Amino acid sequence: MLRLRNDAAGLIGFCLLAVGCGAAPAEEGESIGVAEQGIIVMNGLDPDFFWRSSTQQGLRALAQAPLADALGGARGAVLLRTEQGRHLAERVVACALPAGAAVEEGTGRSFRGSIGLAPEWASAPLSDPASRRWVTACLLQSLNALSARVAVHLTGGHPALADAPDSEASEYTVRDAIMFGDLFDRARPTAFACADNSLIDDCGVALSAKTLERICGQSPTCRLTLLGRCDAVCTRDRAGAPTCRASGSGVYPESIASSLEPLVALSSGGLTCDVLGLLPGLL
């Protein structure tokens, strides 16, 4: 189970989380950790930095070598020269490598693995298309234009995303979004998202640009394609793992879905759809 943790408080924070916008700002040094039966990460990656052409080129360059070599050499320089880039490198390692693994870059800074969606990247280039897609989906789920700290349970068909028997996954009942793509494809990088938000279904609220804003921010170079409602482009297996498709791009078994706890959404927990009337223009 992957959990992106938040101690949000206040009605406005709850409402924003349900549409994927955000609440409290993420704090430095709290982005990666392990607790209980899940992996705890903060989804505070800055979309404006993430979608810059230089950042995307840097990500694709990392894939051309084993991760430690890439981050420790010229390929990683474009990312590691800024705090935003180091935060992204931290998230790349956390998504790709399992807990217990670590990558040390040239200055001695260490980045720790957490999830393990592409463990082979530790010793070889990220050349397998499936692994590239898993890491892409993980990075996309880490984006938040308001640098919010949001508790999210991630579901996917990769063994690294399986829930432990005594995990708290059953508490995350409000579907949020599904993301997929391949940002590491040098010829045709892709990124897709669809809205899977049961708040929208339950309250009859129309999907708006806020869903896109969470992932793209104000970036003029955002490459994300928003596909609308997930039930139109995705199916789920018995365990809830999604497989999605995008016209002209094929089928993606390497899709990752997110869901929220009821207390950070408006579909339950004593909060009603009527509250949406207090927040005109947010949805």
Side-chain angles (χ1 to χ4, degrees), residues 14-21 176 197 199 210-211 214 282-283:
F14 294 155
C15 296
L16 289 174
L17 294 184
V19 295
C21 294
D176 179 36
N197 199 318
L199 169 67
K210 282 294 181 182
T211 303
R214 173 205 161 188
L282 288 180
L283 294 174

Side-chain angles (χ1 to χ4, degrees), residues 198-205 266-267 272-274 276:
S198 40
L199 169 67
I200 294 174
D201 295 336
D202 293 346
C203 297
V205 179
L266 294 179
S267 60
T272 70
C273 299
D274 293 339
L276 293 175

Side-chain angles (χ1 to χ4, degrees), residues 124-177:
L126 186 66
S127 57
D128 177 55
S131 294
R132 298 198 313 252
R133 291 178 172 195
W134 282 120
V135 175
T136 293
C138 182
L139 292 176
L140 292 175
Q141 287 284 7
S142 299
L143 294 171
N144 196 304
L146 299 184
S147 297
R149 302 165 56 199
V150 185
V152 182
H153 171 237
L154 297 188
T155 303
H158 196 290
L161 295 173
D163 295 320
D166 55 346
S167 72
E168 299 175 2
S170 60
E171 299 176 9
Y172 291 74
T173 58
V174 182
R175 291 180 177 178
D176 179 36

Side-chain angles (χ1 to χ4, degrees), residues 235-260:
T235 59
R236 293 177 184 260
D237 63 18
R238 292 183 178 180
T243 293
C244 301
R245 65 185 184 278
S247 178
S249 189
V251 177
Y252 289 78
E254 309 86 0
S255 301
I256 296 182
S258 56
S259 57
L260 307 170

Side-chain angles (χ1 to χ4, degrees), residues 82-104:
T82 67
E83 186 60 35
Q84 290 172 314
R86 290 188 289 272
H87 188 194
L88 175 55
E90 179 183 51
R91 192 57 51 85
V92 167
V93 175
C95 287
L97 304 186
V103 171
E104 187 172 303

